[in-house]
Structures are given as structure tokens and as C-alpha cells.
Amino acid sequence: MAEATVTQPEPINRREFLYYVWGASIAVLLAGSGGAILWFIYPRFREGEFGGKFPVPLASLPAPGDAPVENAAGRFWLVTTPAGLVALYKVCTHLGCLYKWVPNNDRFECPCHGSKFTKQGEWIEGPAPRGLDQMAVEILDESGSVIAITDDEGSPVPIEGAASIAVDTGVIILGEQNA
Ligand code: FES
């Protein structure tokens, strides 16, 4: 009776082993870089989700002199000043309570420890260390390009020429420190 022959696979040599290790390293590196690029390309928050951008209908803007308009989901108050629009972050700069608009006093007041702020968010009195923080207001033209945006000082943004407006709740501009 003929004897069956069994062939063993050839063991890989050192050069092939190093080649496979090198290929695997490159694959891991590329996967990591690709993930990082996607992380930066795609916004982490969707439109209309806190942390993302909130479209603001032009018709919903308060007129200069009107009471601020609250956006509960975006956690901001919109205020139209003679110089333009500001979006005030709804959280008190003392210990994080939600302050309220008090129409009779024409100012914001915090129920927790009594800090008070003007309609533009400037500190008046109380333990808060600075004025109210803001979110970035973007003024967009017909093509959707940003033509004006809140600066680092939180100056009101003129709305002339606006085709649409958005508030970027992912960009917080700290209020002015008390003197
Ligand atoms: S949290 Fe607003 S005054 Fe303290």
C-alpha cells in the first residue's frame, strides 16, 4: 500500500515577517489618520442640537427696545441692540443657575444669589464675576456665506444685508470681567 505524503506549509522567513508587520503598521496608521480627519470634517453636533448651529428666522428677531426672545433648546436669549444682535448664553456666570428676564426691571436677574445684568448682558451687581457669556451670531448672505460674526469682545453684530441668521451654540464668548 502506497504511503500518503503530507506537505507542511513553508515557514515564513524573517524578511516576510517584517514585511507583514510593516504592512499591518501602515494599515493601522492610515485607519487612525482617516478617523481623525473624519472627526474634524464632520460636525459633532447636528443643526438644532445644543452644541451645534441654530437657524434664527428673521421674523422672530426682537426689535430694538423689545424684550429679549428666549430659545430654550439652544439655551440662549436673543437681544437686538441699536448696534446689532447678541445671543446671551442662558447660564449665570456665577454658579451656573438659569437667570430670568424681568420685564418690570428691564434686566436679567438670577434667582440663586441675586446677580443682575443689563439687557445686553453687562454685569450690574451680585456675586457673578463677569457679564453674561455669549454665543456666536452668524449673519449669512443669499448664498449661505457668513458676512458677519460675533467678535472676541462680544460686540453686537449688525444684521444689515442678512438673508438668514444662525447662532452657533458651540462657540462661547466669555462676558467682560468686572472691574
Ligand atoms: S448662580 Fe447666579 S448669582 Fe449665583
Side-chain angles (χ1 to χ4, degrees):
M1 192 166 107
E3 214 172 279
T5 55
V6 178
T7 54
Q8 295 289 332
E10 294 259 331
I12 62 170
N13 62 33
R14 184 168 176 274
R15 176 178 297 228
E16 287 171 324
F17 175 76
L18 290 175
Y19 175 78
Y20 290 132
V21 169
W22 178 80
S25 303
I26 294 294
V28 168
L29 188 69
L30 288 176
S33 317
I37 289 168
L38 288 176
W39 174 263
F40 283 106
I41 286 177
Y42 290 103
R44 275 170 276 172
F45 299 97
R46 285 172 301 181
E47 185 175 280
E49 178 182 79
F50 183 73
K53 294 186 181 182
F54 280 69
V56 175
L58 289 170
S60 72
L61 295 180
D66 282 359
V69 170
E70 183 179 14
N71 185 309
R75 303 180 203 170
F76 59 85
W77 290 92
L78 276 177
V79 179
T80 305
T81 75
L85 192 63
V86 296
L88 300 172
Y89 185 26
K90 284 180 66 178
V91 174
C92 179
T93 52
H94 180 220
L95 294 177
C97 288
L98 298 181
Y99 59 83
K100 306 277 183 222
W101 172 248
V102 181
N104 288 346
N105 296 335
D106 200 37
R107 66 188 182 193
F108 293 106
E109 298 181 1
C110 183
C112 291
H113 313 99
S115 289
K116 296 174 179 62
F117 308 89
T118 67
K119 190 158 74 173
Q120 287 78 34
E122 295 140 345
W123 176 85
I124 299 172
E125 64 182 35
R130 62 179 188 274
L132 296 173
D133 297 336
Q134 295 187 33
M135 292 163 170
V137 174
E138 293 182 350
I139 309 297
L140 302 114
D141 65 13
E142 301 271 347
S143 68
S145 300
V146 176
I147 54 174
I149 189 168
T150 308
D151 62 21
D152 292 344
E153 279 76 48
S155 310
V157 186
I159 60 173
E160 284 79 35
S164 61
I165 293 174
V167 173
D168 189 345
T169 62
V171 178
I172 302 291
I173 299 135
L174 297 184
E176 189 177 345
Q177 288 288 331
N178 301 341

